[in-house]
Amino acid sequence: AVVSTQSTWGQSSLVLSRTMTYNHPAQVKSYFGYFTDEDPDVFLVSNEGVKVGTHRIVLRLFSTVLSDILTQSTDSVSHISLPASGSVLKNLVNTLNTGLAITKDRDELNIVAKVAKLLGLGDVDWQIGLERKKIKKKVEEIKMEVESLKDLY
């Protein structure tokens, strides 16, 4: 462990940091695998009746609202109806389980964020961006434009 002093606007504070000797994100993903490999014990039900399975522990971890509700439930399997499509709920569950959801529809990801807020997932910093292939293609297009502009001067 390393202890250092930081000074911000004339105030000092101590910071304790630890060098990780393991890959923390991979370890967390591994632990989630223990839960998510089991049969779902909660189903999110879409407005068209699609059931998307997930796990109480995942929902309770991220949502205080759902944590209270799911703690009180004595049913072995619970169902939660939500005003969203099945694909939105699938993307929401993927985001909770892996931190990532991929879709071609930007609006759908915005709806995922709205449903997450509805479920009390807090102020999540949702980042909606392009796939890497599209970004790489865009960078190449910009480079070509810059090269063509150089030829003009």
Side-chain angles (χ1 to χ4, degrees), residues 130-148:
L130 300 172
E131 291 181 49
R132 293 179 196 265
K133 291 178 190 175
K134 290 182 182 177
I135 292 172
K136 186 175 182 179
K137 184 177 177 182
K138 193 70 169 171
V139 168
E140 291 301 320
E141 289 173 5
I142 292 171
K143 284 181 181 178
M144 289 173 52
E145 281 184 44
V146 169
E147 288 301 317
S148 67

Side-chain angles (χ1 to χ4, degrees), residues 122-133:
D123 294 326
V124 178
D125 182 18
W126 295 94
Q127 296 180 8
I128 299 174
L130 300 172
E131 291 181 49
R132 293 179 196 265
K133 291 178 190 175

Side-chain angles (χ1 to χ4, degrees), residues 62-99:
F62 292 110
S63 170
T64 55
V65 171
L66 290 178
S67 182
D68 292 343
I69 292 169
L70 293 171
T71 300
Q72 295 171 9
S73 173
T74 58
D75 298 334
S76 60
V77 176
S78 298
H79 293 78
I80 301 169
S81 295
L82 293 166
S85 70
S87 61
V88 166
L89 297 182
K90 287 176 189 174
N91 279 316
L92 174 66
V93 170
N94 284 340
T95 304
L96 295 176
N97 290 342
T98 67

Side-chain angles (χ1 to χ4, degrees), residues 9-141:
W9 293 297
Q11 297 179 346
S12 294
S13 60
L14 292 175
V15 177
L16 176 65
S17 62
R18 178 178 171 192
T19 304
M20 301 278 185
T21 57
Y22 64 97
N23 183 338
H24 185 73
Q27 192 69 32
V28 170
K29 189 174 181 180
S30 168
Y31 290 141
F32 258 66
Y34 293 128
F35 304 112
T36 58
D37 288 344
E38 298 294 320
D39 289 337
D41 58 2
V42 176
F43 287 91
L44 303 180
V45 183
S46 73
N47 51 13
E48 68 259 316
V50 174
K51 294 179 182 177
V52 179
T54 188
H55 301 86
R56 288 175 195 270
I57 192 160
V58 174
L59 295 175
R60 290 183 65 205
L61 177 66
F62 292 110
S63 170
T64 55
V65 171
L66 290 178
S67 182
D68 292 343
I69 292 169
L70 293 171
T71 300
Q72 295 171 9
S73 173
T74 58
D75 298 334
S76 60
V77 176
S78 298
H79 293 78
I80 301 169
S81 295
L82 293 166
S85 70
S87 61
V88 166
L89 297 182
K90 287 176 189 174
N91 279 316
L92 174 66
V93 170
N94 284 340
T95 304
L96 295 176
N97 290 342
T98 67
L100 182 66
I102 298 173
T103 182
K104 294 179 181 180
D105 186 353
R106 180 184 215 89
D107 291 335
E108 186 167 291
L109 294 178
N110 286 321
I111 296 169
V112 169
K114 288 178 184 177
V115 172
K117 187 174 182 177
L118 175 75
L119 294 175
L121 295 177
D123 294 326
V124 178
D125 182 18
W126 295 94
Q127 296 180 8
I128 299 174
L130 300 172
E131 291 181 49
R132 293 179 196 265
K133 291 178 190 175
K134 290 182 182 177
I135 292 172
K136 186 175 182 179
K137 184 177 177 182
K138 193 70 169 171
V139 168
E140 291 301 320
E141 289 173 5

